[in-house]
């Protein structure tokens, strides 16, 4: 048995991995930031989870809001430009994703770029999305 949020993240990661544009760009997909760390060079997109909050409980249903983090990790002198190439392709996939129990998905903020190594060659840029979904009160 697994949680709804895990099912949604796995489904979203599968949808991104199947995207022809991301494949053509050579983007590798992972579920952990540590997946990208040993890969010097290339482009990696990480799908991970932020906080998950129960926002409302009503008769027989709990509405939840799960933050999804998409982190583009690139080795480049201009990581923000290369990350935006990835996000231009991934954004429509994320916004079009749906699954049973989901009420919708909304775009959140894009976080400030971070440098991931001492040479400044690895940049990490993260976009946030929120999946709103419903579960039974005794389920996640």
């Amino acid at each position: 048995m697994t949680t709804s949020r895990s099912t949604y993240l796995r489904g979203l990661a599968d949808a991104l991995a199947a995207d022809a544009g991301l494949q053509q760009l050579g983007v590798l997909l992972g579920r952990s930031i540590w997946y990208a760390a040993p890969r010097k060079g290339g482009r990696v997109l990480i799908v991970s989870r932020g906080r998950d909050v129960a926002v409302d409980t009503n008769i027989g249903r709990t509405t939840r809001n799960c933050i999804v983090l998409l982190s583009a990790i690139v080795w480049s002198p201009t990581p923000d430009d290369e990350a935006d190439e990835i996000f231009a392709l991934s954004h429509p996939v994320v916004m079009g994703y749906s699954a049973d129990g989901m009420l919708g998905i909304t775009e959140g903020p894009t976080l400030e770029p971070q440098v991931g190594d001492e040479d400044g060659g690895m940049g990490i840029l993260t976009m946030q999305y929120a999946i709103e979904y419903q579960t039974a009160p005794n389920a996640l």
Side-chain angles (χ1 to χ4, degrees):
M1 179 172 236
T2 187
T3 63
S4 293
R5 64 181 169 233
S6 291
T7 301
Y8 298 144
L9 286 173
R10 197 169 29 256
L12 180 57
D14 289 347
L16 289 162
D19 183 74
L22 290 170
Q23 290 174 5
Q24 187 174 16
L25 201 57
V27 175
L28 299 174
L29 197 77
R31 287 292 314 276
S32 166
I33 203 86
W34 303 114
Y35 171 81
R39 288 160 172 71
K40 289 273 186 189
R43 298 170 176 176
V44 178
L45 184 62
I46 303 299
V47 179
S48 58
R49 176 175 78 81
R51 64 188 178 106
D52 188 288
V53 178
V55 293
D56 182 48
T57 299
N58 207 333
I59 302 169
R61 301 307 295 164
T62 297
T63 302
R64 300 178 181 280
N65 192 295
C66 178
I67 302 300
V68 177
L69 306 170
L70 257 60
S71 299
I73 302 165
V74 295
W75 285 259
S76 167
T78 57
D80 51 341
D81 289 339
E82 287 196 36
D84 276 347
E85 289 180 32
I86 295 170
F87 291 142
L89 296 170
S90 64
H91 182 72
V93 175
V94 174
M95 295 305 291
Y97 178 71
S98 65
D100 289 344
M102 274 182 59
L103 300 175
I105 190 162
T106 56
E107 179 183 356
T110 299
L111 305 179
E112 296 84 8
Q114 298 177 335
V115 175
D117 69 13
E118 66 278 358
D119 299 328
M122 184 175 96
I124 303 170
L125 287 90
T126 301
M127 287 189 72
Q128 293 184 12
Y129 296 89
I131 294 177
E132 190 170 70
Y133 65 104
Q134 290 187 326
T135 64
N138 65 346
L140 294 174

